[in-house]
Amino acid sequence: MGSTKTKTHDEQVTLLEQVIAKYQGQGRKALMQVLQEAQAIYGYLPLDVQRTVADGLGVSVAEVYGVITFYSFFSLNPKGAFEVSVCLGTACYVKGSQAILEKIEEELHIKAGECTPDGKFSINACRCIGACGLAPVIMVNEDVYGRLTPDQIPAILAKYKEA
Amino acid sequence: MDLYRAHVLVCCGTGCTSSQSGKIIENLEKELTAQGLSREVKVVKTGCFGLCAEGPIMVVYPEGVMYYRVSPDDVTEIVSEHFLKGRPVARLMTVQTAVPLDQARNVEESDFFKKQLRVALRNCGSINPESIEEYIAHDGYLALGKVLTEKMAPLDVINEVKKSGLRGRGGGGFPTGLKWEFAARQQNEQKYVCCNADEGDPGAFMDRSILEGDPHSVIEAMAIAGYAIGANQGYIYVRAEYPIAVQRLKLAIGQAKAYGLLGERVFGSEFSFDIEIRLGAGAFVCGEETALMRSIEGKRGNPTPRPPFPAVKGLFDKPTILNNVETFANIPVIFQKGADWFASLGTDKSKGTKVFALGGKVSNVGLVEIPMGTTVREIVFDIGGGIPNNKAFKAVQTGGPSGGCIPAKLLDTPIDYDNLIAVGSMMGSGGMIVMDEDTCMVDIAKFFLEFTVDESCGKCAPCRIGTRRMLEVLEKITGGTGTMEDLEALERLAVGIKEGSLCALGQTAPNPVLSTLKHFREEYVEHVTEKRCRCGVCKGLTQYFILTDLCKMCGLCAKRCPVGCISGVLGKEPFVIDTAKCIKCGACMQACKFKAVVKR
Ligand SMILES: Cc1cc2nc3c(=O)[nH]c(=O)nc-3n(C[C@H](O)[C@H](O)[C@H](O)COP(=O)(O)O)c2cc1C
Ligand code: FES
């Protein structure tokens, strides 16, 4: 997914308009694709984006909201600059990913699903990122760390704290 | 075409990409050019070899030498030693897991591969998934060509699939040929073929590996299905979490169109077929067929009652078939080698092979494909190399959140659809998680229930409310306030949920609890009557102690304790934990260098 930091608000609006124009004729059939692309532009799906999408495709805002809240991939809240995804899939769970998650929560002083006050980190408890061979696994944005133990966590986070 | 003296295959599946296989390829190409070998040694990006835990993996042919855990820095040595001087780098040829895989120097000889039979995974790890030419060179699109150019009647195509005995690999095990026949019988201008690549079982990655390693096999099979039932549009519904798979699928669809193997008038025949990709958005229930179709339509993924079955009224209310990725991957081989060949593999009622994603507490974590009828023991101990760190085997979980746990006394169960159901589990889509003596079975049951509570779509009450009640009971038990009546309550709730739920998500949700209650009842009873978790997993029941005779009175534990509940006198009196104040964070246990802190 593209970086959200580099785009200005106006650029985001233009990009979203382009996406809607691309799918216009298809109506609600294209709702999922439009939302996926909108989230790639904004990083999340705030109310004004939902309105624009609803108007563009000719569906109600309630329907758009209903779809967004059904799927865990869509987010109503902004994510941190660094999103720490902790895999809680079965393969990772039996290898102790719960302890990894707790260590990260302790280090960042936030819970899964939350964002640090400075907007730098958010924690996302996710299910199987498909690297089960490396269990337990976490991802910080696109970087994957595998075969982890809780004591490795502070050093990993430190790299991003300085960034 | 250049003739290369050696081929280096580097896995570019998700697991190995996560451990830098992209950088390895980059370094390899640089180094080969620097040494003037770029016209002698060819670097091939492939899909998954199966041995994910030992990745990144590299295989060199013609020798068949396999390198494990290669780092980008090892490349210079491999090129100068192996390719220049012909001396394989022994240091990278042994596996680092506790129980050695095998000392075999050759891929096919190692224990990991000996008991496997690769049908659905036939091309994974041996061809470049981004090259349609390589797929064609391995008999790709031969099956589709045969069907179209020899003008097989659609009904003959269906009969061939029926004769093979292929059953759906997505979980239910419904006979594939029969499903196609239902859809073919419908009179309708518009029909659809869908591929289920949602792979919702957490901890399973079979379908992802097929899409990443051999995307054309699925495309070819969907076209065959389209011809058989009279559809000219296909959809592949794939998880958004699988970016590599999506990108390879897009590439493959584009290549197939450019070659006239997809699109208008395939192979110059009257038949046209197109495929579009739809991304899932992280909802487990969307793996269920009716929910998946609602999701493609752009709606919330709520399941709808059946009948009407999708074969009659499916996507956009048109006749539709939905098959799993692995089911499709088997189709081309059936036409290449014949239905009789396929039917000769496996057991009486389950033909062919099954791919499993072997994970958890097992030495060789990875992807394995075995003929149906192989025993659980053979997979865990012969192929999987057993349990690491000299721990004892406890159970194998199959079928994910819909399945159950198979205990040690049933290790010799031959794997097929019916046997797994008989022992209280199910085939599922192929996740297979091994658990050892340290895994608490009550906690595992709770883990899966948390999953279903989270993923229940909320449409029907038995599933929405019932699973939540079951979870509350499990929380009580793991928290130390459970009673024996609670165990009965679990069983009662399970029956209600199974019978009352609308879709298979709810109907199967109680399975992890029922199977652990059946095979590991003593662990539940211990939690209830003795307030004890023998594995020390359930925090509400564990307590930390300091063993007086091992305590060196250094005070390190007391220093680390965040709530100050450890007291003692430095160098004079052993330290003790005030269990009433202890928050069970485990910091003392990590701090102690003398293993004097224990939990039980
Ligand atoms: C809750 C739920 C989740 C499912 N998830 C998947 C899945 O991730 N992948 C899959 O292929 N089938 C899944 N299925 C099974 C599908 O509904 C369907 O039976 C299957 O895709 C049909 O293909 P097959 O006959 O080739 O197996 C799921 C079923 C249920 C009830
Ligand atoms: S279970 Fe964690 S990556 Fe699969």
Side-chain angles (χ1 to χ4, degrees):
Chain A
M1 298 284 135
S3 161
T4 52
K5 309 290 145 347
T6 50
K7 295 182 203 105
T8 66
H9 179 70
D10 287 347
E11 280 169 352
Q12 289 176 332
V13 172
T14 326
L15 282 170
L16 182 59
E17 276 166 3
Q18 284 166 1
V19 169
I20 290 175
K22 187 165 76 179
Y23 290 101
Q24 198 110 46
Q26 303 186 29
R28 68 113 27 91
K29 239 167 76 178
L31 183 53
M32 295 272 286
Q33 287 114 290
V34 173
L35 290 175
Q36 260 146 356
E37 295 190 25
Q39 180 155 300
I41 298 170
Y42 285 84
Y44 70 117
L45 296 166
L47 191 59
D48 50 328
V49 173
Q50 296 174 36
R51 283 212 186 92
T52 318
V53 171
D55 289 348
L57 296 180
V59 295
S60 69
V61 182
E63 213 167 315
V64 173
Y65 182 80
V67 167
I68 294 176
T69 50
F70 187 88
Y71 297 99
S72 63
F73 186 79
F74 297 127
S75 171
L76 292 169
N77 302 312
K79 294 181 182 137
F82 297 108
E83 174 161 57
V84 186
S85 302
V86 185
C87 177
L88 294 185
T90 320
C92 288
Y93 187 78
V94 303
K95 290 243 184 139
S97 60
Q98 186 68 31
I100 306 275
L101 173 63
E102 281 164 20
K103 186 77 189 174
I104 294 173
E105 289 178 335
E106 182 191 317
E107 287 285 316
L108 296 176
H109 306 289
I110 51 170
K111 293 274 168 209
E114 295 176 354
C115 187
T116 51
D118 61 0
K120 196 141 193 193
F121 289 97
S122 55
I123 306 178
N124 167 30
C126 65
R127 293 222 170 82
C128 196
I129 55 175
C132 316
L134 306 176
V137 178
I138 69 165
M139 254 183 358
V140 182
N141 289 355
E142 311 277 284
D143 307 337
V144 179
Y145 298 89
R147 306 182 181 116
L148 290 173
T149 54
D151 47 309
Q152 289 170 276
I153 296 298
I156 293 174
L157 293 177
K159 282 202 277 189
Y160 299 92
K161 279 180 180 158
E162 285 148 22
Chain B
M1 207 171 119
D2 290 327
L3 270 184
Y4 294 96
R5 79 173 153 87
H7 286 79
V8 206
L9 279 52
V10 184
C11 174
C12 289
T14 297
C16 289
T17 301
S18 307
S19 39
Q20 292 196 301
S21 63
K23 181 84 186 151
I24 291 172
I25 289 182
E26 200 181 295
N27 287 4
L28 256 178
E29 277 167 351
K30 247 191 258 161
E31 198 62 31
L32 287 172
T33 312
Q35 301 279 3
L37 294 174
S38 56
R39 297 182 65 101
E40 289 178 44
V41 181
K42 185 168 169 64
V43 182
V44 184
K45 287 161 95 175
T46 69
C48 185
F49 292 102
L51 253 179
C52 310
E54 297 300 328
I57 295 206
M58 186 190 279
V59 180
V60 183
Y61 283 106
E63 304 94 307
V65 166
M66 196 157 195
Y67 289 127
Y68 310 97
R69 298 205 186 191
V70 179
S71 98
D73 302 333
D74 294 329
V75 169
T76 318
E77 183 179 348
I78 294 176
V79 171
S80 67
E81 284 297 303
H82 192 154
F83 299 138
L84 217 52
K85 301 179 193 150
R87 295 191 298 230
V89 185
R91 160 177 89 77
L92 297 170
M93 288 164 58
T94 43
V95 178
Q96 293 170 22
T97 36
V99 183
L101 228 191
D102 197 13
Q103 299 312 327
R105 291 290 142 96
N106 186 297
V107 182
E108 285 85 13
E109 269 173 28
S110 67
D111 268 356
F112 183 75
F113 289 102
K114 244 187 310 192
K115 289 210 168 174
Q116 296 199 45
L117 177 66
R118 297 190 135 211
V119 177
L121 298 176
R122 61 195 175 279
N123 290 329
C124 285
S126 61
I127 66 165
N128 177 350
E130 297 185 354
S131 155
I132 190 171
E133 290 85 357
E134 285 198 25
Y135 180 68
I136 293 172
H138 284 75
D139 295 338
Y141 290 104
L142 206 70
L144 179 61
K146 184 172 158 188
V147 166
L148 292 178
T149 54
E150 291 177 13
K151 303 211 163 45
M152 276 176 88
L155 206 64
D156 293 339
V157 174
I158 290 171
N159 282 334
E160 193 73 3
V161 176
K162 275 168 91 175
K163 204 163 82 180
S164 74
L166 176 65
R167 294 170 66 176
R169 301 295 194 238
F174 192 81
T176 306
L178 211 56
K179 188 186 274 191
W180 291 15
E181 189 177 12
F182 288 144
R185 277 212 222 116
Q186 303 300 315
Q187 299 295 330
N188 207 313
E189 291 282 289
Q190 181 72 61
K191 298 181 189 176
Y192 296 105
V193 174
C194 295
C195 172
N196 191 341
D198 198 39
E199 195 151 65
D201 176 2
F205 51 96
M206 307 73 51
D207 296 348
R208 194 208 70 215
S209 301
I210 292 173
L211 295 176
E212 285 178 356
D214 194 15
H216 284 287
S217 68
V218 174
I219 293 171
E220 178 179 7
M222 287 179 71
I224 294 173
Y227 176 74
I229 69 159
N232 52 30
Q233 178 66 47
Y235 288 97
I236 303 179
Y237 188 84
V238 50
R239 291 176 60 150
E241 289 93 335
Y242 287 176
I244 301 178
V246 173
Q247 177 237 332
R248 300 229 169 111
L249 269 177
K250 282 187 180 152
L251 199 70
I253 291 173
Q255 289 170 344
K257 280 189 185 162
Y259 273 66
L261 303 172
L262 206 60
E264 296 294 320
R265 303 178 59 94
V266 180
F267 274 101
S269 71
E270 293 300 305
F271 172 67
S272 300
F273 192 74
D274 197 6
I275 296 178
E276 284 182 35
I277 297 174
R278 285 291 178 272
L279 294 189
F284 175 64
V285 72
C286 287
E288 196 278 337
E289 55 184 14
T290 57
L292 183 145
M293 290 172 197
R294 298 299 83 76
S295 183
I296 294 182
E297 290 164 3
K299 300 178 188 156
R300 286 167 69 100
N302 284 336
T304 47
R306 298 175 306 179
F309 285 94
V312 179
K313 201 172 166 210
L315 186 62
F316 304 115
D317 292 340
K318 305 291 182 203
T320 306
I321 58 159
L322 171 73
N323 279 118
N324 164 264
V325 170
E326 188 186 332
T327 313
F328 277 130
N330 279 299
I331 296 285
V333 200
I334 292 174
F335 288 89
Q336 285 164 23
K337 299 199 178 176
D340 293 329
W341 171 81
F342 191 86
S344 72
L345 305 172
T347 65
D348 198 19
K349 288 198 181 129
S350 305
K351 301 299 184 191
T353 59
K354 179 76 194 90
V355 184
F356 286 98
L358 188 62
K361 305 279 187 65
V362 62
S363 295
N364 304 331
V365 172
L367 209 60
V368 304
E369 180 169 356
I370 44 100
M372 298 275 191
T374 305
T375 65
V376 182
R377 186 188 300 280
E378 285 173 295
I379 298 190
V380 176
F381 290 92
D382 299 342
I383 299 174
I387 319 294
N389 308 323
N390 294 321
K391 298 274 183 178
F393 169 90
K394 189 184 267 182
V396 158
Q397 210 278 350
T398 66
S402 314
C405 293
I406 302 166
K409 67 169 191 281
L410 295 173
L411 268 173
D412 291 309
T413 309
I415 291 183
D416 70 11
Y417 291 99
D418 312 286
N419 283 341
L420 287 183
I421 288 183
V423 301
S425 186
M426 64 182 269
M427 181 77 83
S429 54
M432 185 179 272
I433 309 281
V434 182
M435 299 169 185
D436 70 3
E437 55 187 289
D438 292 337
T439 315
C440 168
M441 301 314 280
V442 188
D443 182 66
I444 282 295
K446 188 173 109 206
F447 167 80
F448 281 114
L449 252 269
E450 277 170 2
F451 182 89
T452 25
V453 166
D454 233 31
E455 296 293 343
S456 167
C457 77
K459 183 167 169 170
C460 71
C463 173
R464 180 183 69 238
I465 304 171
T467 53
R468 190 167 285 276
R469 287 294 97 81
M470 279 184 93
L471 177 60
E472 282 164 7
V473 175
L474 286 172
E475 281 168 349
K476 240 178 103 184
I477 297 173
T478 54
T481 56
T483 61
M484 290 305 281
E485 287 78 57
D486 285 334
L487 302 191
E488 284 156 36
L490 281 177
E491 277 158 351
R492 232 181 14 251
L493 279 163
V495 175
I497 296 170
K498 270 174 158 297
E499 286 175 0
S501 294
L502 174 65
C503 83
L505 189 148
Q507 288 155 11
T508 57
N511 288 354
V513 180
L514 289 178
S515 84
T516 46
L517 261 176
K518 179 165 165 206
H519 297 304
F520 300 94
R521 197 175 189 91
E522 70 285 358
E523 286 195 35
Y524 280 85
V525 173
E526 253 167 38
H527 280 69
V528 170
T529 56
E530 297 171 38
K531 309 288 171 217
R532 188 168 79 91
C533 171
R534 62 169 87 174
C535 311
V537 171
C538 298
K539 275 214 176 134
L541 298 177
T542 33
Q543 289 190 332
Y544 286 82
F545 296 97
I546 296 174
L547 299 174
T548 323
D549 43 336
L550 288 184
C551 179
K552 298 273 186 288
M553 297 168 269
C554 69
L556 204 57
C557 54
K559 224 186 256 167
R560 291 281 174 80
C561 178
V563 292
C565 73
I566 307 181
S567 55
V569 184
L570 272 188
K572 290 205 180 101
E573 264 178 47
F575 282 69
V576 279
I577 299 175
D578 180 350
T579 44
K581 279 199 213 147
C582 171
I583 56 163
K584 299 165 192 171
C585 67
C588 50
M589 196 163 169
Q590 271 180 24
C592 183
K593 294 198 175 69
F594 312 106
K595 297 202 162 59
V597 183
V598 292
K599 66 175 174 182
R600 48 176 182 243

